Amino acid sequence: MPPVIPGFEHHRVPVADGVSLHTAVGGSGPPVVLLHGFPQTHLMWRHVAADLAVDHTVICPDLRGYGASDKPAETDGSVYAKRTMAADIVALARELGHERFALAGHDRGALVAFRAGLDHPDTVTHLACLDVLPTLDMWEVMHGVTAAVGFHLYLMAQPPGLPERMIGAAPDDFFGHFLDIWTTDRAAVPDDVRAAYLAACREAVPSIVADYRASAGIDIEHDRDAGSTLRMPVSVLQQDWGAALGFDAAGLWRTWAPDLRHATVTCGHFMAEEAPDDIAKALRDLLAR
């Protein structure tokens, strides 16, 4: 049996024509939606979700194109635009009976959460983004040999065909590479969870690539056209990428989020698994604002 979040129930929730999201739901109280990153599924929140479920309704979906959620074909850039994926999350919460909710995302999920905050400011009450920059800023700070850390961004930005074939030829090597190099505590992703992540990614190469490809195209357009800022309280937790790549991470985020609390962490990228107590506390602090 694949690992699960203990005490959570699993649902398939329709969110758009032909698209349902596999979702784990647990707890009771004010709703909090947690969005996973790459190359993961909703399981990355297993520790934090259990903590928050003591006094919140916690909703952990697999994003469109990931895990056990539907994976529509990339007919055009909008299918995996973060605007579309954010609309999925608003529809998901509404289907589960929540018109307003707090939202936290990690990595790819943080980009979806960011777009949801901009597009649906009356729906998202609080926003947390873990270990990303907004798409527009991300591309601006990637330069020189230091950009090699983000080689996958450039690979999956290529037109359909080549990246899918290259990654599909050795998916466990490709996705496992990031599970290895982005963590400082290998024990934080135990063997059964790692196997679940790799199995999920192995079956989702085209849709994962499409998600990344959208961030080299339509997502940039949406960031440029936004013309607005995040109106809700925002917390951002990041590794110290600014020091490594030469930019002011907090300053970049502050242009988008006037009510910002920004902090750097000492753990690896998979912070909800490496330091779940710290992340749960940061989210509780955000929800209290």
Side-chain angles (χ1 to χ4, degrees):
M1 292 290 292
V4 297
I5 304 175
F8 276 53
E9 296 181 350
H10 292 258
H11 308 269
R12 287 195 64 80
V13 183
V15 296
D17 289 344
V19 178
S20 293
L21 301 186
H22 174 80
T23 306
V25 182
S28 62
V32 181
V33 180
L34 306 177
L35 305 181
H36 67 85
F38 163 93
Q40 299 159 294
T41 69
H42 73 280
L43 277 173
M44 64 150 283
W45 290 108
R46 59 196 178 278
H47 306 303
V48 174
D51 183 310
L52 294 179
V54 172
D55 49 10
H56 290 81
T57 298
V58 183
I59 302 166
C60 302
D62 289 337
L63 294 168
R64 161 191 299 236
Y66 288 81
S69 290
D70 287 337
K71 303 168 181 63
E74 182 193 16
T75 53
D76 59 51
S78 68
V79 175
Y80 287 93
K82 302 308 150 300
R83 174 161 286 165
T84 302
M85 297 171 78
D88 285 349
I89 302 309
V90 171
L92 169 71
R94 186 173 294 124
E95 284 289 325
L96 294 174
H98 307 291
E99 293 295 327
R100 288 166 54 79
F101 55 89
L103 182 58
H106 173 259
D107 190 82
R108 307 304 294 173
L111 298 179
V112 176
F114 171 76
R115 176 48 53 189
L118 287 175
D119 287 358
H120 305 276
D122 295 326
T123 300
V124 178
T125 63
H126 301 76
L127 178 66
C129 292
L130 277 55
D131 222 24
V132 296
L133 287 175
T135 300
L136 190 60
D137 298 308
M138 176 191 72
W139 290 113
E140 290 296 325
V141 304
M142 300 289 282
H143 54 79
V145 295
T146 55
V149 70
F151 79 94
H152 60 299
L153 301 172
Y154 296 91
L155 171 61
M156 291 191 275
Q158 303 310 309
L162 181 63
E164 291 88 344
R165 290 195 299 273
M166 292 178 66
I167 296 167
D172 287 7
D173 291 337
F174 180 77
F175 296 113
H177 169 77
F178 301 103
L179 293 173
D180 291 338
I181 69 167
W182 287 350
T183 182
T184 58
D185 179 8
R186 296 289 182 87
V189 184
D191 290 345
D192 60 339
V193 173
R194 179 188 176 92
Y197 290 161
L198 292 179
C201 290
R202 199 181 303 134
E203 300 300 320
V205 171
S207 53
I208 291 174
V209 173
D211 166 36
Y212 273 85
R213 185 179 289 120
S215 288
I218 194 168
D219 292 344
I220 295 175
E221 296 173 18
H222 290 160
D223 276 8
R224 285 176 174 156
D225 293 343
S228 62
T229 56
L230 296 162
R231 301 191 333 225
M232 67 290 298
V234 176
S235 289
V236 174
L237 288 84
Q238 296 183 276
Q239 297 179 90
D240 200 3
W241 290 113
L245 299 178
F247 62 88
D248 176 7
L252 291 175
W253 267 106
R254 198 164 287 110
T255 64
W256 296 97
D259 187 359
L260 173 71
R261 292 186 185 173
H262 185 280
T264 55
V265 299
T266 57
C267 59
H269 177 64
F270 302 116
M271 57 185 71
E273 293 175 284
E274 292 193 51
D277 292 345
D278 294 342
I279 300 308
K281 182 182 184 303
L283 294 183
R284 289 185 177 281
D285 289 346
L286 168 66
L287 295 170
R289 284 161 59 191

